[in-house]
Amino acid sequence: MDELLIPDTAPPPEYRVLARKYRPASFDALIGQDAMVRTLGNSIRRGQLAQAWLLTGVRGVGKTSTARIIAKALNCVGPDGQGGPTIAPCGVCEPCVAIAAGRHIDIVEMDAASNTGIGDIREIIEAVRYAAVSARYKIYIIDEVHMLSTQAFNGLLKTLEEPPPHVKFIFATTEVQKLPVTVLSRCQRFDLRRIPAEQLAAHFAGIVEAEGATADAEALALIARAAEGSVRDGLSILDQAIAHGSGNVEAAAVRDMLGLSDRGSVRALMGLMLAGDAAGALAALGGQLDLGTDPAMIVQELLGLVHTVTRAKVAGDAPDPAMSAEEREAVQGWASTLSFPAVHRLWQLLLKGLAEVQTAPVPGQAAEMAVLRVIHASSLPDPGELVRRLSERGDVSDAPVMPAAERPQGATVQQLREPAPAPEPAPLPADFEALVRLFETRREPRLAHLLHDEVRVVDYAPPLLSISGSAMLPPDFAQRIMACLLLWTATRWTVTMIQGGVQGAAAPTMHEAAEARVAAERAAALADPAVQEILAAFPDAELTDISYEQPRSAADA
């Protein structure tokens, strides 16, 4: 009799999301963290292992995965069971397999978000006294360690500084600034970097091929850009995109899935805005809003386009592989025709518009008003060009009056609106320090402070001044300096702000120079033989201040 055919009723294997399936299991599979891998590899080869490591970075860059790889590297015994710590764990020995499966008894993973108190840390303190059961090192991995309470941190300090030789700690956090300095000083810190979009796109292409799916380059570039440097976020989006397209990932489908506006539509909208076509721009914006595109996303795409144009104008960056030929042509055209003040003004207006869209009760209306504001500003003359034209004409009667909050003290509206009655030419400051003193004596403490602490001089040749500054400087800093100097010296100055400074050419700020002088004086004092003898005789003594004996007068001599 024929055997009965029993149907296979075994359940299909459980699907694993891409973020878990392609989680790196070795340092070779960890992308974008070459500096950390090199440092750890050298430490393991030389046997110079820290008692604690701190892994920081944004979500999804591999902090917890790196912690598990370190645990395997320290406890791997090799296929023959005779190996030692290695930067390339075998992955087949019992410790490697158990750690990868999360079941090794000596590798303890703890989530600080749900174990925040001193009681949880006390359990660790009690357990570290006992040797590892089967591993070479007992390792405690504490994720989101910044969530521990102050008492928990304090209770951990002594054990963290002097743990038993068989114990290692690995901390992971996304908010390293919340950790006490006492904890930071006891750890070897590694800052895991965001993964560049190009590297993410290449990584996703390999995964798509391994999954038997297909994807075009533009779709992968869009996913990589949306991931914002996070591998896990990108894999989650890729997983969704593969399901959305039934194994075929296309750029249009990714845009629809993510709610991204079409890049061609964004370029068209930007062109209408720059041309001052208000009606056309509102119609183009309305068409995107009707398709369900998030208004904030549209403004963000406009900001990204302005950023791309600015980079192309400054450094002629290589085009983004995700850009089409039409987009490259448009970007290069705008980069060659728009001035730096124009692109900076575009950026500031759109940035302000984005904040309004994100907080407005009706975001679509806020986006329309932001577009109209940009169009209105495009028809206005550049402030620097306006000042130049008025200076050439010698007519400032129609010039706008500086706001009262930004007006030099002692200056009236009449003085700022009408030409000054030919004042006596004041001597120009001989050097930059004299210029700063001028602002101090004229009761402009805010500008004097910024000149002293935040400004680096590239070139000083009165009435020409080239400077670079920090982000603390207001956008109109150069204009305010020129207005004050014109009022006080009766000379028109040209103050040039050099973005990012000139490598090796900018002098240190006056604040930095003063600190360097103090440090040099302190070093010279500490090197004095008499001071060294005093410190040797009194080990607890500390040099707190330096004063110099006043020279004696002729009468005292």
Side-chain angles (χ1 to χ4, degrees), residues 175-231:
E175 301 184 48
V176 68
Q177 71 278 2
K178 293 185 177 180
L179 267 66
V181 177
T182 50
V183 172
L184 293 174
S185 65
R186 289 167 167 82
C187 300
Q188 191 174 97
R189 173 175 169 176
F190 293 102
D191 292 273
L192 276 66
R193 302 173 52 192
R194 292 177 183 266
I195 313 302
E198 297 80 7
Q199 194 170 3
L200 275 179
H203 180 60
F204 296 157
I207 292 176
V208 167
E209 183 178 357
E211 289 293 307
T214 59
D216 58 54
E218 185 177 359
L220 294 179
L222 288 171
I223 295 173
R225 188 181 296 113
E228 297 181 344
S230 170
V231 182

Side-chain angles (χ1 to χ4, degrees), residues 518 521-522 525-526 531 542-548:
V518 171
E521 291 177 355
R522 181 178 178 83
L526 290 173
V531 175
E542 181 181 351
L543 180 63
T544 59
D545 195 12
I546 302 173
S547 62
Y548 297 93

Side-chain angles (χ1 to χ4, degrees), residues 343-405:
V343 292
H344 293 324
R345 187 166 63 224
L346 273 173
W347 176 265
Q348 293 296 332
L349 290 170
L350 289 172
L351 197 62
K352 179 177 175 60
L354 176 61
E356 294 175 351
V357 170
Q358 291 173 334
T359 58
V362 184
Q365 294 177 357
E368 291 182 349
M369 296 304 295
V371 167
L372 291 175
R373 185 187 300 125
V374 172
I375 293 173
H376 174 69
S378 67
S379 62
L380 296 177
D382 177 73
E385 179 66 16
L386 180 61
V387 170
R388 187 187 65 80
R389 292 178 183 177
L390 293 174
S391 300
E392 291 176 352
R393 291 171 50 191
D395 178 16
V396 295
S397 58
D398 296 329
V401 179
M402 185 182 299

Side-chain angles (χ1 to χ4, degrees), residues 76-339:
C76 179
V77 297
D80 57 359
Q82 303 299 318
T86 173
I87 192 63
C90 66
V92 297
C93 65
E94 175 57 28
C96 286
V97 173
I99 292 172
R103 56 178 172 81
H104 200 294
I105 192 172
D106 292 319
I107 310 301
V108 180
E109 292 193 32
M110 187 180 88
D111 178 20
S114 55
N115 300 274
T116 62
I118 182 63
D120 303 298
I121 296 300
R122 190 176 290 116
E123 293 180 7
I124 295 178
I125 297 172
E126 293 294 329
V128 298
R129 297 185 299 174
Y130 303 101
V133 176
S134 62
R136 185 179 294 113
Y137 292 101
K138 180 182 287 188
I139 297 178
Y140 291 90
I141 300 173
I142 304 180
D143 199 10
E144 299 301 337
V145 68
H146 65 273
M147 300 291 287
L148 290 178
S149 66
T150 302
Q151 286 184 330
F153 275 126
N154 292 336
L156 187 61
L157 288 180
K158 185 61 177 178
T159 304
L160 184 61
E161 184 172 15
E162 298 178 359
H166 62 275
V167 174
K168 302 293 180 185
F169 290 93
I170 305 177
F171 300 144
T173 180
T174 55
E175 301 184 48
V176 68
Q177 71 278 2
K178 293 185 177 180
L179 267 66
V181 177
T182 50
V183 172
L184 293 174
S185 65
R186 289 167 167 82
C187 300
Q188 191 174 97
R189 173 175 169 176
F190 293 102
D191 292 273
L192 276 66
R193 302 173 52 192
R194 292 177 183 266
I195 313 302
E198 297 80 7
Q199 194 170 3
L200 275 179
H203 180 60
F204 296 157
I207 292 176
V208 167
E209 183 178 357
E211 289 293 307
T214 59
D216 58 54
E218 185 177 359
L220 294 179
L222 288 171
I223 295 173
R225 188 181 296 113
E228 297 181 344
S230 170
V231 182
R232 185 175 62 234
D233 287 9
L235 287 176
S236 298
I237 299 172
L238 179 61
D239 210 342
Q240 182 182 357
I242 292 175
H244 181 81
S246 297
N248 183 25
V249 182
E250 297 180 348
V254 171
R255 288 194 185 93
D256 292 340
M257 186 182 71
L258 297 178
L260 298 174
S261 56
D262 180 69
R263 298 177 76 164
S265 300
V266 171
R267 291 196 307 274
L269 176 59
M270 177 67 77
L272 293 169
M273 291 163 58
L274 294 177
D277 186 353
L282 288 181
L285 177 62
Q288 295 191 53
L289 295 176
D290 291 341
L291 293 175
T293 307
D294 183 10
M297 190 63 68
I298 296 175
V299 181
Q300 288 179 9
E301 289 286 325
L302 289 171
L303 277 167
L305 186 55
V306 173
H307 178 258
T308 302
V309 170
T310 307
R311 292 192 61 134
K313 186 174 183 64
V314 172
D317 281 359
D320 188 337
M323 292 171 57
S324 62
E326 294 81 4
E327 187 169 2
R328 293 184 190 130
E329 182 180 357
V331 166
Q332 292 299 330
W334 287 326
S336 61
T337 57
L338 292 174
S339 64

